[in-house]
Amino acid sequence: MTLNDIRALIIDMDGVLWEGDRPMPGLVEFFETLRARDIRFVLATNNASNTPDQYVAKLARMGVSVDREQVIGSGLAAALYLKQHAPAGSKVFPIGEDGVCQALLENGFRLAELYEKDADYVVCGLDRTLSWDKLATATLNLRAGAKFIGTNPDTSLPTEHGLTHGNGAVLAALQAATGIEPIIVGKPEPIMYQLAMERLQVPPEQTVALGDRLDTDILGAVRAGIRSILVLSGISTREHLADVDYAPTWVMEDIREVIEAVR
């Protein structure tokens, strides 16, 4: 199998490039092959908690060098989406960690404090310091007319303690409290892929998404109108393919098989 017409990849990270802090076999060779073939790439993840610089540092520890412009987390994607649609300097109440708050500040937004009720937008991402006060402030602003942005809809989150609630569960709580449905920026909605393609400057027909989850990475690619590779090194299995009415263009075991296909 060869993928000779690919000029760009949009690559998920967890389950594709690493598992926790363990790099997947072939990681360094994978990036060396992309550069040798002059295949552009953007790393795109639904994780909203980390900044691009934190991902750059993580990959550096694994022996891979990337630029921060080659990384888009869903927190940054939310800020970039707002930059395209919101007036400059709009006020945002964030629920989230560095990956959300830093991205909003770097893109010119003002952040509302607890119990300020004049935010133009509420942006909600994974926040491990989530509190009653943050939920109350978000609810008050949404009820006052703020627009609702969710970084990603993932309802579950794997942790060292087991499977716990993800950002989608918090979005559901706020939607129940306000009756307002959020605009989702992360996968499987196409917005993050569209932002990645703007950076890549490669036609969609020569761009391929690479991920390990059918319900986010692959469905997002389908909605964005691009081809996709499902690797079986993460969440989804071959058996899961029978449960969905869409499919990846290719199924491969891991990035080592991708290396062979793009050579």
Side-chain angles (χ1 to χ4, degrees), residues 75-262:
L76 174 59
L80 294 174
Y81 172 81
L82 279 185
K83 193 173 183 179
Q84 293 178 344
H85 295 87
S90 293
K91 196 169 186 178
V92 180
F93 179 70
I95 291 178
E97 300 179 14
D98 289 346
V100 170
C101 297
Q102 182 174 312
L104 289 167
L105 290 170
E106 288 181 352
N107 284 279
F109 295 100
R110 296 174 297 133
L111 302 187
E113 300 293 336
L114 286 175
Y115 291 108
E116 290 184 350
K117 293 180 282 186
D118 59 347
D120 303 297
Y121 297 87
V122 170
V123 173
C124 181
L126 178 67
D127 189 340
R128 285 165 289 197
T129 64
L130 185 64
S131 66
W132 169 272
D133 292 324
K134 288 183 180 182
L135 289 171
T137 304
T139 299
L140 290 167
N141 276 285
L142 291 171
R143 287 185 173 276
K147 294 182 174 63
F148 190 11
I149 308 293
T151 61
N152 68 83
D154 303 356
T155 55
S156 61
L157 179 70
T159 73
E160 64 273 23
H161 306 293
L163 203 61
T164 184
H165 61 288
N167 189 54
V170 180
L171 296 178
L174 290 171
Q175 183 173 346
T178 64
I180 299 170
E181 184 176 353
I183 296 170
I184 302 296
V185 175
K187 300 174 280 187
E189 299 308 316
I191 294 171
M192 182 183 290
Y193 282 132
Q194 292 163 350
L195 291 167
M197 284 189 280
E198 288 175 15
R199 290 195 174 185
L200 289 165
Q201 293 295 295
V202 172
E205 59 269 19
Q206 294 179 308
T207 302
V208 171
L210 170 60
D212 70 306
R213 291 187 68 130
L214 282 167
D215 59 344
T216 55
D217 305 315
I218 305 307
L219 181 56
V222 170
R223 291 177 176 175
I226 60 175
R227 294 175 294 169
S228 62
I229 301 168
L230 174 71
V231 288
L232 303 175
S233 52
I235 297 295
S236 294
T237 66
R238 289 187 190 274
E239 289 70 30
H240 291 147
L241 290 165
D243 299 329
V244 296
D245 58 2
Y246 54 90
T249 315
W250 301 279
V251 179
M252 301 187 188
E253 289 300 320
D254 53 28
I255 53 174
R256 291 174 295 186
E257 188 172 345
V258 179
I259 292 169
E260 296 304 315
V262 301

Side-chain angles (χ1 to χ4, degrees), residues 2-19:
T2 60
L3 309 175
N4 292 327
D5 64 336
I6 289 180
R7 290 183 53 209
L9 283 173
I10 303 173
I11 305 166
D12 185 49
M13 291 187 267
D14 293 294
V16 177
L17 303 181
W18 57 64
E19 186 178 54

Side-chain angles (χ1 to χ4, degrees), residues 13-86:
M13 291 187 267
D14 293 294
V16 177
L17 303 181
W18 57 64
E19 186 178 54
D21 289 322
R22 182 183 67 84
M24 290 295 187
L27 179 69
V28 172
E29 186 183 1
F30 174 70
F31 283 97
E32 289 175 346
T33 303
L34 296 186
R35 292 188 167 110
R37 275 281 323 276
D38 196 26
I39 296 174
R40 299 183 183 186
F41 63 86
V42 164
L43 310 178
T45 176
N46 263 3
N47 189 323
S49 57
N50 294 325
T51 67
D53 288 329
Q54 288 169 328
Y55 282 116
V56 169
K58 180 169 184 172
L59 279 162
R61 292 192 296 270
M62 296 178 178
V64 175
S65 174
V66 301
D67 298 328
R68 74 190 309 266
E69 292 302 309
Q70 293 173 302
V71 182
I72 300 178
S74 63
L76 174 59
L80 294 174
Y81 172 81
L82 279 185
K83 193 173 183 179
Q84 293 178 344
H85 295 87

